Amino acid sequence: MSKEVRLFFRKFLRQPKQIGSAIPSSRFLSESMVAAIPWHNVKAVAELGAGTGAITQSIVRSIYPGTEVYLFEKDTRMRKQLIQEYPEFICAANVANMQRILEKGSGVDQLDCIVSGLPFYNFPQQLRNQLMEQIIGALKPGGLFVAFQYSLQMKKQMSRHFKIESIKFVPMNFPPAFVYVCRKENEIYWKK
């Protein structure tokens, strides 16, 4: 068992609702997430819940030179590992402060894309709402929000805030996952 898998598994045993899975995302899931993004148009991207970097590795292979990358990971050990492996990226702890962190960073006002591995359905509704507000505020109009979830239970909430362009089922992951590709529309509206 690799160092990353052991770290992920220990975190899952301690806080299963925060991490969502016992092992990191598969390369099939990671590749499915990044394949949905037109990287030639991405100047700034954030990954939420970067964990041990499974999706981060696919992002690194996809970005163009000069792309600003923000990694958010709440777990201290995982974040320290990300800082060591990706010193050129900005790493932060709390997605709930994303807009403030962007402002303090390299002057990026809004992101072209946000990639998320956060287990939204495990979170209380108030936290989900707070995270969605941060995501919407940080994402430029027309920007993409690409998130994986282990069920379709977040479809209704995501459709309130974004235009869902596609949902792809990825069976080659444990557990199998759904990749939501969502676009922030130019006019922000909140469906009730």
Side-chain angles (χ1 to χ4, degrees):
M1 190 182 301
S2 74
K3 176 182 156 188
E4 288 81 16
V5 171
R6 284 194 309 272
L7 177 60
F8 214 87
F9 187 68
R10 281 195 300 268
K11 175 68 177 179
F12 177 77
L13 291 176
R14 281 181 279 151
Q15 294 177 303
K17 287 198 172 238
Q18 186 179 356
I19 202 151
S21 173
I23 60 173
S25 302
S26 71
R27 69 178 172 85
F28 301 103
L29 179 56
S30 299
E31 290 169 9
S32 182
M33 301 262 309
V34 300
I37 300 165
W39 290 101
H40 62 282
N41 290 330
V42 175
K43 292 178 180 47
V45 60
E47 181 185 0
L48 315 183
T52 56
I55 296 171
T56 312
Q57 292 172 17
S58 293
I59 291 172
V60 168
R61 288 190 297 270
S62 302
I63 60 173
Y64 282 64
T67 302
E68 193 75 34
V69 180
Y70 293 81
L71 302 176
F72 289 85
E73 176 51 52
K74 195 170 189 174
D75 182 79
T76 305
R77 289 183 68 189
M78 289 183 187
R79 190 172 59 257
K80 284 180 182 176
Q81 181 179 321
L82 290 167
I83 290 168
Q84 280 185 315
E85 291 183 30
Y86 306 102
E88 69 277 21
F89 299 160
I90 297 168
C91 293
N94 198 341
V95 177
N97 298 320
M98 182 166 41
Q99 288 177 280
R100 191 166 45 85
I101 290 163
L102 289 176
E103 291 167 7
K104 284 184 175 180
S106 61
V108 171
D109 290 336
Q110 290 186 301
L111 299 164
D112 299 293
C113 181
I114 296 174
V115 177
S116 175
L118 296 175
F120 283 99
Y121 197 72
N122 290 353
F123 301 154
Q125 187 61 50
Q126 182 180 355
L127 178 57
R128 279 189 243 163
N129 292 342
Q130 182 183 9
L131 294 173
M132 283 295 173
E133 285 176 23
Q134 286 292 310
I135 291 164
I136 290 165
L139 196 60
K140 75 175 190 179
L144 284 179
F145 176 53
V146 181
F148 78 82
Q149 298 291 290
Y150 297 118
S151 72
L152 293 174
Q153 292 171 317
M154 284 299 295
K155 184 178 178 182
K156 185 175 180 181
Q157 183 168 0
M158 286 194 190
S159 68
R160 286 186 199 134
H161 307 297
F162 301 99
K163 177 185 177 196
I164 298 176
E165 294 188 342
S166 68
I167 300 174
K168 180 181 178 186
F169 181 62
V170 181
M172 299 297 288
N173 190 67
F174 182 78
F178 294 91
V179 174
Y180 291 76
V181 179
C182 307
R183 188 168 302 277
K184 178 179 173 179
E185 299 188 87
N186 292 332
E187 293 291 322
I188 293 301
Y189 59 94
W190 294 80
K191 297 178 191 169
K192 297 290 178 192

